Structure formats: C-alpha cells, structure tokens
Amino acid sequence: QVQLVESGGGLVQPGGSLRLSCAASGATFRTYVMSWYRQRPGKERELVAVINIDGTGTTYADSVKGRFTISRDNAENKVHLQMNSLKPEDTAMYYCVAISPRRAWGQGTQVTVSS
C-alpha cells in the first residue's frame, strides 16, 4: 500500500537537534496513522511517537516527551520527527512506520548522539 523512505539521520552532539523525514509513496497517505520507532542493536524496539491521519493528535514516549515533535504534511506525503535536546541515549536506528490501514516499515536512518 505504501513505501516509506527515511532521511535526516546522522551524527550530532548532545544537546543538538536533528530533523528526520519520511517520504511516503501512494495516493492514500492521508488515511494512514503514522509513527516513528527506534531500536538499538540487540534491544527491543521502542515506539517513539504516533500521529493521527490529519495531524491533530500525537502521542510520545515518556523518554522523548517535550523534546521530540512528530508532524506530517499530507500534501507532500511526508512525516517528520523534530528531535531537540538530543541525549546519548537517543542513539538508535529510527524507523518510519505506517500503523494503519496497512503496516509498513521504512529502511531506517541512523541517529548517533555523541561528543
């Protein structure tokens, strides 16, 4: 139903910011609940943020609340994750994930927070 491609990851210092983007294919993007997950090697995946189909409702993991903001631009078929005040523990592979009506995962983009 959809294909997702993340971008924007990289190396950043603690306290810095990154903006992740997810480009989605398909004409039905605006009907999808979207999310960001993250995962460190050997550890379980963590749901970071969720956004509803029109962008009016969002939820966040407690670990990122107040620092990260998920948003979407349905006209451009994009989801973003603005990441501020980054901490070393935010280091992970970040995935754009479609929740519904069909499940889909992007390829992931690496975020490394280190001095």
Side-chain angles (χ1 to χ4, degrees):
Q1 189 90 6
V2 296
Q3 282 194 326
L4 308 171
V5 180
E6 302 98 330
S7 62
L11 176 64
V12 65
Q13 291 183 282
S17 297
L18 283 174
R19 180 177 168 87
L20 306 184
S21 296
C22 171
S25 65
T28 59
F29 174 76
R30 65 183 62 198
T31 71
Y32 277 77
V33 177
M34 300 295 298
S35 67
W36 289 91
Y37 281 76
R38 66 185 182 185
Q39 185 174 25
R40 305 193 73 173
K43 299 183 179 179
E44 62 187 5
R45 288 169 289 183
E46 177 187 17
L47 179 62
V48 175
V50 181
I51 190 165
N52 69 354
I53 61 174
D54 63 6
T56 60
T58 59
T59 58
Y60 299 91
D62 287 343
S63 57
V64 307
K65 195 172 299 181
R67 299 187 298 120
F68 290 11
T69 303
I70 187 172
S71 62
R72 67 191 297 159
D73 185 340
N74 286 345
E76 294 189 353
N77 278 23
K78 289 184 178 179
V79 183
H80 305 285
L81 186 68
Q82 180 65 47
M83 308 163 63
N84 299 327
S85 301
L86 283 162
K87 305 174 181 179
E89 52 263 44
D90 295 319
T91 296
M93 185 73 72
Y94 283 73
Y95 297 91
C96 179
V97 182
I99 300 298
S100 64
R102 302 286 187 271
R103 176 61 65 107
W105 288 71
Q107 83 286 353
T109 185
Q110 178 68 41
V111 172
T112 302
V113 185
S114 179
S115 298

